[in-house]
């Protein structure tokens, strides 16, 4: 099951504690086994109130919040979190340092992809 997300998407998802988390999609890669790997960065925040696409001021404010480090995760786990796209932010080359380090290690067989629930990362 693919979450149907694209590079640059800013997403929100419901957390088990009743709050909402946020992440940014940096890359979507095909894995050798046919699954998708999404390279994400979480925003260093969560909220009690849901933020929707039409909440433009809230989405603009979210873009100013610090991002946590890159992590690759299988698409099925992202889909299970029921993410909603609320905005977009371009992915620039300088944003991809963590992705490039992971990708080189993955291609050498020295790194993997998270299969934990999104909230646990």
């Amino acid at each position: 099951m693919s979450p149907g997300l694209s590079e640059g998407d800013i997403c929100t998802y419901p957390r088990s504690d009743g709050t909402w988390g946020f992440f940014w999609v940096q890359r979507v890669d095909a894995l050798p086994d046919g699954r998708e790997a999404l390279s994400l960065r979480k925003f260093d925040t969560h909220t009690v109130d849901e933020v929707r696409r039409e909440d433009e001021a809230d989405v603009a404010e979210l873009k100013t919040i610090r991002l946590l480090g890159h992590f690759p995760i299988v698409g099925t786990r992202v889909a299970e979190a029921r993410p909603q796209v609320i905005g977009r932010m371009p992915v620039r080359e300088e944003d991809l340092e963590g992705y490039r380090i992971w990708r080189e290690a993955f291609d050498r067989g020295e790194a993997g992809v998270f299969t934990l629930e999104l909230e646990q990362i």
Side-chain angles (χ1 to χ4, degrees):
M1 170 172 49
S2 167
L5 302 176
S6 301
E7 295 173 7
D9 284 346
I10 297 173
C11 302
T12 186
Y13 65 98
R15 295 167 30 115
S16 61
D17 64 1
T19 63
W20 295 85
F22 305 92
F23 65 84
W24 179 36
V25 181
Q26 290 193 303
R27 286 286 185 256
V28 179
D29 290 304
L31 295 174
D33 64 7
R35 296 182 297 170
E36 276 186 345
L38 279 75
S39 290
L40 307 180
R41 291 181 70 186
K42 286 185 177 180
F43 290 89
D44 192 14
T45 190
H46 58 274
T47 63
V48 174
D49 297 321
E50 180 180 8
V51 175
R52 298 175 312 246
R53 183 184 294 270
E54 49 275 0
D55 299 326
E56 294 177 15
D58 291 335
V59 175
E61 182 181 344
L62 181 64
K63 292 178 182 181
T64 68
I65 294 175
R66 182 173 78 99
L67 287 159
L68 302 177
H70 159 270
F71 63 94
I73 181 172
V74 293
T76 52
R77 285 303 205 170
V78 176
E80 289 171 2
R82 301 183 325 273
Q84 297 296 315
V85 177
I86 58 171
R88 295 206 32 84
M89 189 164 65
V91 180
R92 303 166 306 181
E93 276 304 307
E94 57 264 29
D95 297 320
L96 296 173
E97 180 182 5
Y99 168 79
R100 283 192 296 272
I101 292 168
W102 165 78
R103 187 67 214 204
E104 289 172 10
F106 181 83
D107 289 345
R108 290 190 309 267
E110 299 171 358
V113 178
F114 283 103
T115 57
L116 297 169
E117 293 179 18
L118 177 62
E119 187 175 341
Q120 294 178 330
I121 299 172

